[in-house]
Amino acid sequence: MDKLIVEGGHRLEGVVPNAGSKNAVLPVLAAALLTNEPLRVGNVPELSDVATMLKVLADLGCETSRTDRGQVVVQAGGSSDQRAGWEHVRKMRGSVCVLGPLLARTGRAEVSLPGGCVFGVRPIDAHLKGFEALGARVRIEKGYVIAEAPAGGLVGSEMFLGSAFGSTVLGTANVMMAATLARGRSVIHGAACEPEVVDLGHCLQAMGAKIAGLGSPRVEIEGVDELGGAEWSVIPDRIEAGTYLIAGAMTGGRVRVAGCRPDHLSVLLERLREAGAPFEVGSDWIETQPFEPRDPAQRPSSTDVTTHPFPGFPTDLQAQWMSLMTMADGISVITERIYPDRYMHLAELARLGAHVRREGTAAVVRGTEHLSGAPVTASDLRASAALVLAGLVADGETEIHRVYHIDRGYERIEERLGPLGAVIRREVDRT
Ligand code: EPU
C-alpha cells in the first residue's frame, strides 16, 4: 500500500486538464453488455475503479482492450456469463450497474450484493423495484441478487424510482439500461438528473436506444429489439474539476481546470463566489484567481452548504468543501442530505488542527488560521481528496495513509498537482 506525503505552504499555479468522469464511465462501460457489437469508449480515465469494471466485464465474457490512451473497447460475447461475483463487487459498488444490461440482454443476472460502505448502508432496493416493475423476478440468495426476466423478455412499465434520500444515480442508470430492450414503453418517475445519467442516456441513444426526458425527473424509454455498437466519449469529471478548483482557492493560486463543463459546476461556483474566492469562467475552463487566503482581510468567508441531488451541491464535493471551510473566517454548517454518515474525514481533519464537530447530520466547522501537518488515514475516496487539500495548506508535512482510495477516482493526483507547484510524493507505506 502507498502513502502520500504532502508538503504544505505552496501556492498552486498552472493548467490542469480535466479527466473523463469516473461516475459516467462506469455505467457506460456496463452498457456494452446490451449488445454483441463493440462499444468504443473514449476519454476513459486511468483509475483503479475502471480497471475493476473491466475485470467484472471480462468475468461476464466480454473482451476488453485499451487501444491508445483513453480509449477502451468492450465487446460482449454471444454467451455471456451471467454472474458478477463478490471479489470485484465488494471493491466497487459501481459494478452493480451490470445488473440491468445483463438482465435485459440475457434474461438473467446474478450479481453479488454490494453491501454497505464506509459511509453508510447504501441499499439497492430502488434498483430491484425497477427491475420488478419491468416484470423481472428478483430474489436474494446467498448474498447474490438473482434477477430473471419473464419468458419473452422484460416488459416496459411506469415506475417511481426515488428513495428516502431522493433520486438514485446508479438505480436510474441500471433500470434505464434494462428498459432499453424491454417490450414497449417505460417511464421512470423520480429519475436522477445527474450529468452522468444524461451521458449514459446519450451513449445508449448512440447505440440505438429511444430515450426522452434525459436530465429531467421523468425519463421515457421506448424499448427496441436490439442495440448496436457505438463510439462514445464520456463527459469530463465534475468532481475532479471541483476538487482542483478548491485546491486553487485554498492556496490562493491561479489554477485553470481545462476541458471541463462549467455548466456541471454551477452550484460550486456559486458557493465559491459566496466564500469570496475569485475565479473566471470560459466556455470549457474555470480558473481560480490569485488572492491571499491567509491575509485576515481576504480569508474565505464561512459558507454553508447542504448536499442534494443534481443540480444541488454534490455529496462527492462535501469533504473537499469542508477542507476549504477549515480555513474560512467564521463558522460554517455543512449538511449531508444524501449520505447522513459521510463524515469520516472530520476526525482526520481535526488531527491537522481543524475545528470540526458533528451535530446530527450536519458538521459545524470553525475556521482557523493555522493547520499543521500530521499523519492521517484516508477512509474513502473523497475523504482522501479532502486530506490532500488540507495538506496543501497545513504547515509542514501531512502523511496520508491508506491512499489507495484516491486512485479509485483521481488519475495520479500527485502527478496532476505536481506541475502546479504542489510538493507531493508517493511512497510505499511500511507502517
Ligand atoms: N438509495 C436507496 N435505495 C437505493 C439506492 C439508493 O435508499 O436503491 C439511497 C442511498 O443510500 C443514498 C441515496 O439514495 O442515500 C442516493 O444514492 P445513489 O443511489 O444516488 O448513489 P449511487 O448511485 O450508489 C452514485 C455515485 C456516488 C455518489 C452518489 C450520489 C457512482 C459509481 N457512484 O452512487 O459516487 O456519491 O451517486 O451522487 O456513480 C464517489 O464517486 O465518491 C461516489 C461515492
Side-chain angles (χ1 to χ4, degrees):
M1 218 184 282
D2 291 345
K3 63 182 175 185
L4 284 180
I5 298 146
V6 185
E7 187 185 288
H10 303 279
R11 180 190 289 249
L12 303 191
E13 171 116 28
V15 180
V16 57
N18 199 176
S21 161
K22 167 179 88 79
N23 290 346
V25 79
L26 297 175
V28 162
L29 291 171
L33 289 165
L34 288 164
T35 172
N36 286 330
E37 295 179 11
L39 180 66
R40 295 172 197 282
V41 187
N43 204 23
V44 177
E46 281 188 41
L47 302 172
S48 59
D49 270 10
V50 170
T52 304
M53 179 54 95
L54 294 177
K55 283 186 195 147
V56 172
L57 292 170
D59 282 357
L60 293 172
C62 297
E63 285 195 16
T64 68
S65 61
R66 243 179 210 276
T67 50
D68 46 14
R69 197 183 178 285
Q71 206 194 40
V72 166
V73 184
V74 184
Q75 181 159 17
S79 57
S80 300
D81 197 324
Q82 296 160 316
R83 184 179 160 100
W86 170 236
E87 186 196 348
H88 300 310
V89 181
R90 84 192 158 98
K91 279 196 209 138
M92 186 187 72
R93 246 188 79 86
S95 32
V96 80
C97 64
V98 300
L99 249 173
L102 202 55
L103 170 67
R105 192 175 60 97
T106 72
R108 189 173 199 278
E110 233 182 280
V111 176
S112 172
L113 269 172
C117 76
V118 71
F119 50 84
V121 184
R122 302 189 70 186
I124 58 162
D125 55 303
H127 305 225
L128 306 187
K129 196 172 81 175
F131 300 140
E132 282 172 341
L134 297 174
R137 283 181 309 278
V138 179
R139 60 183 199 280
I140 310 288
E141 232 177 73
K142 296 182 180 164
Y144 279 73
V145 177
I146 302 174
E148 286 164 323
L154 298 174
V155 185
S157 87
E158 199 146 328
M159 67 193 87
F160 175 76
L161 277 198
S163 79
F165 295 93
S167 52
T168 158
V169 173
L170 287 176
T172 305
N174 232 339
V175 176
M176 182 165 76
M177 285 192 276
T180 58
L181 291 180
R183 267 180 295 129
R185 192 178 70 117
S186 299
V187 180
I188 303 177
H189 297 278
C193 304
E194 270 66 10
E196 294 76 15
V197 173
V198 176
D199 196 50
L200 169 68
H202 288 154
C203 170
L204 294 169
Q205 286 170 336
M207 294 168 72
K210 296 205 170 96
I211 307 176
L214 289 167
S216 84
R218 184 183 185 282
V219 172
E220 199 173 315
I221 304 129
E222 192 65 51
V224 295
D225 290 342
E226 57 177 25
L227 295 175
E231 197 160 330
W232 190 251
S233 180
V234 296
I235 50 170
D237 195 311
R238 62 192 167 108
I239 305 302
E240 188 207 40
T243 303
Y244 295 151
L245 291 171
I246 295 174
M250 288 179 74
T251 63
R254 187 191 299 280
V255 171
R256 178 183 288 227
V257 179
C260 67
R261 288 279 302 260
D263 57 323
H264 292 167
L265 285 154
S266 322
V267 67
L268 174 69
L269 297 182
E270 189 52 39
R271 292 296 168 273
L272 282 172
R273 192 173 288 123
E274 220 175 296
F279 60 86
E280 283 180 8
V281 186
S283 59
D284 67 348
W285 55 266
I286 306 172
E287 185 181 270
T288 58
Q289 300 297 303
F291 76 118
E292 295 294 338
R294 289 300 190 198
D295 174 346
Q298 294 186 40
R299 280 176 72 188
S301 317
S302 57
T303 306
D304 299 348
V305 300
T306 300
T307 65
H308 284 295
F310 189 82
F313 194 93
T315 172
D316 294 341
L317 283 174
Q318 179 257 108
Q320 300 89 315
W321 186 260
M322 191 177 295
S323 288
L324 172 62
M325 287 299 103
T326 63
M327 59 190 291
D329 186 13
I331 292 176
S332 47
V333 178
I334 296 179
T335 309
E336 181 53 72
R337 290 250 190 270
I338 310 285
Y339 299 117
D341 290 320
R342 196 175 198 175
Y343 287 123
M344 266 63 53
H345 40 286
L346 255 72
E348 302 304 307
L349 287 172
R351 288 182 54 75
L352 302 177
H355 302 300
V356 282
R357 70 187 160 83
R358 191 158 165 189
E359 197 63 64
T361 59
V364 180
V365 185
R366 180 161 53 82
T368 170
E369 287 170 20
H370 180 76
L371 293 179
S372 87
V376 287
T377 306
S379 54
D380 63 90
L381 165 58
R382 307 304 172 188
S384 318
L387 293 172
V388 169
L389 296 181
L392 292 173
V393 295
D395 289 347
E397 287 192 341
T398 297
E399 206 174 279
I400 306 167
H401 296 267
R402 296 181 74 81
V403 80
Y404 64 91
H405 293 290
I406 211 161
D407 299 323
R408 295 186 48 196
Y410 294 87
E411 271 187 0
R412 296 174 302 277
I413 194 165
E414 70 279 17
E415 289 177 25
R416 305 303 285 286
L417 293 179
L420 303 180
V423 180
I424 306 181
R425 57 185 201 278
R426 187 182 284 256
E427 287 181 5
V428 175
D429 193 348
R430 300 192 195 283
T431 54

